[in-house]
């Protein structure tokens, strides 16, 4: 059986104290709406996340799918809220983002030096910018269009094996994270 996740990631830098404050704000938002509750059946393989779906989880998804009740009892259906800076990658879905102005694929500088700029972003914290080979638009990696690439940031909220989240829920999480945010959808 395959697994999937959706991570909403803050891209802008924040101090450790600011990240902790943001984390608490995101937790409070999701707890107040009943989207998550503490995971009382935590297990490294079955339920590794600190949070599990709460009674309000149905309101956080696009529309409750016919398998929603089964989702509530499935393995690894939790939510992680992490304040540590980390890499969020699409795993098997990996695909280069597209220019938001002309929809051209990412520039050769992105693909030719993928490992180099990613390592640099991870170690020194500076998000790289690329210029579109077709139209010349230039922007930071997180500003390119796509959900199946790679982002680095913190805090981040990751939903494991959930039905699609509603646009309103995504908007509210992004607002709680503050600053520039991005989304990475993973499959493995």
């Amino acid at each position: 059986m395959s697994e999937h996740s959706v991570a909403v990631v803050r891209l802008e830098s924040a101090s450790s104290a600011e990240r902790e404050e943001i984390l608490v704000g995101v937790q409070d938002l999701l707890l107040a709406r009943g989207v998550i509750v503490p995971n009382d059946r935590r297990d490294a393989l079955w339920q590794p996340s600190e949070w599990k779906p709460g009674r309000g989880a149905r309101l956080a998804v696009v529309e409750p799918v016919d398998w929603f009740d089964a989702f509530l009892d499935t393995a690894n259906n939790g939510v992680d809220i992490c304040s540590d800076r980390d890499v969020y990658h699409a795993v098997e879905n990996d695909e280069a983002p597209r220019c938001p102005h002309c929809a051209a694929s990412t520039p050769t500088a992105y693909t030719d030096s993928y490992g180099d700029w990613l390592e640099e972003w991870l170690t020194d914290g500076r998000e790289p910018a690329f210029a579109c080979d077709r139209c010349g638009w230039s922007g930071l990696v997180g500003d390119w269009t796509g959900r199946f690439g790679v982002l680095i940031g913190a805090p981040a909220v990751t939903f494991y094996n959930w039905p699609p989240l509603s646009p309103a829920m995504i908007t509210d999480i992004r607002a709680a994270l503050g600053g520039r945010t991005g989304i990475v959808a993973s499959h493995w």
Side-chain angles (χ1 to χ4, degrees):
M1 182 168 129
S2 62
E3 306 232 359
H4 67 274
S5 68
V6 172
V8 185
V9 184
R10 179 186 166 106
L11 300 173
E12 291 184 3
S13 296
S15 70
S16 178
E18 290 169 325
R19 290 192 314 265
E20 286 300 319
E21 186 177 320
I22 294 167
L23 178 138
V24 169
V26 172
Q27 282 177 200
D28 288 350
L29 167 75
L30 297 175
L31 285 166
R33 294 185 182 178
V35 174
I36 61 171
V37 295
N39 186 355
D40 57 357
R41 55 185 179 156
R42 200 162 181 191
D43 176 90
L45 295 175
W46 180 253
Q47 292 296 343
S49 297
E50 182 178 356
W51 305 100
K52 68 180 185 180
R55 292 180 188 258
R58 289 180 193 274
L59 303 174
V61 299
V62 172
E63 58 184 60
V65 291
D66 57 357
W67 50 271
F68 194 85
D69 289 335
F71 152 74
L72 292 174
D73 293 323
T74 194
N76 195 20
N77 65 352
V79 177
D80 287 333
I81 307 169
C82 182
S83 66
D84 295 331
R85 195 166 166 275
D86 207 347
V87 177
Y88 296 87
H89 191 277
V91 191
E92 292 177 11
N93 283 6
D94 189 29
E95 96 185 14
R98 299 188 134 339
C99 174
H101 291 270
C102 72
S105 41
T106 49
T108 53
Y110 176 98
T111 54
D112 288 352
S113 63
Y114 186 82
D116 295 336
W117 65 257
L118 189 57
E119 179 70 26
E120 188 175 312
W121 186 11
L122 183 61
T123 56
D124 77 13
R126 287 192 307 258
E127 184 179 0
F130 295 98
C132 178
D133 290 340
R134 183 190 297 163
C135 73
W137 177 84
S138 181
L140 297 169
V141 171
D143 294 338
W144 286 72
T145 305
R147 294 174 60 125
F148 302 111
V150 60
L151 296 174
I152 298 174
V157 183
T158 306
F159 292 81
Y160 293 97
N161 298 308
W162 279 53
L165 296 170
S166 74
M169 181 86 275
I170 295 286
T171 298
D172 291 346
I173 292 170
R174 287 180 125 160
L177 289 171
R180 286 177 53 251
T181 59
I183 296 175
V184 175
S186 301
H187 179 84
W188 64 98

